[in-house]
Amino acid sequence: MTALLKPQLYALSPDGEPVLHGARCRCGHVFFPMQAYGCEACGATGDALTPTLLAGRGRLVASARVMLHARKDREPPFTVVTVRLDDGPVLRTLLDGNPDVPLRADQPLYATLAEVAGADDAALDLRFTTQR
């Protein structure tokens, strides 16, 4: 199997679906990615933070289609999306492919793993898609 590009951020669940490495604070706040600096809501650290796998499902908050990009390692066009996960956190990531139909606010989006060029070989990186 192809390696994950950023295994500290996401993994494959036993059923083969991408999941994200987030955390839950004892105050109830859920965040992504998991980090040890403290809860974004209350500032708690240490054992107040519990690593939590977040489902790769959410809703579109915003999107931007990039037609010109300064870096040569990412060929335009591509679409950047802001996704509010069903589990709570909001993240900015790339859309897999370029849909023929316009995206709409609150549209369901689903995590997927797309093959990309890694440092040494091909790797799988997290993307979101409109298709389940």
Side-chain angles (χ1 to χ4, degrees):
M1 181 174 132
T2 307
L4 298 176
L5 186 63
K6 299 173 187 163
Q8 70 279 14
L9 295 180
Y10 48 83
L12 276 175
S13 69
D15 63 358
E17 295 293 319
V19 291
L20 290 75
H21 295 293
R24 179 178 308 278
C25 179
R26 85 169 53 121
C27 77
H29 183 69
V30 179
F31 56 93
F32 172 82
M34 173 56 182
Q35 46 78 16
Y37 298 114
C39 174
E40 300 161 344
C42 74
T45 60
D47 65 352
L49 308 178
T50 304
T52 304
L53 291 177
L54 307 173
R57 294 182 306 275
R59 300 226 167 236
L60 179 68
V61 174
S63 67
R65 181 106 181 231
V66 177
M67 302 304 288
L68 181 63
H69 195 260
R71 289 179 48 186
K72 301 298 180 206
D73 62 341
R74 188 171 317 278
E75 241 352 92
F78 58 90
T79 304
V80 178
V81 292
T82 303
V83 180
R84 178 175 301 283
L85 295 176
D86 291 349
D87 291 321
V90 175
L91 63 111
R92 186 166 294 130
T93 187
L94 294 175
L95 190 70
D96 189 38
N98 287 300
D100 295 329
V101 296
L103 298 171
R104 64 186 192 290
D106 207 38
Q107 177 175 0
L109 294 176
Y110 308 95
T112 188
L113 294 174
E115 192 167 300
V116 298
D120 299 322
D121 208 354
L124 296 174
D125 197 17
L126 183 72
R127 301 285 190 269
F128 274 73
T129 180
T130 57
Q131 305 298 313
R132 179 96 191 189

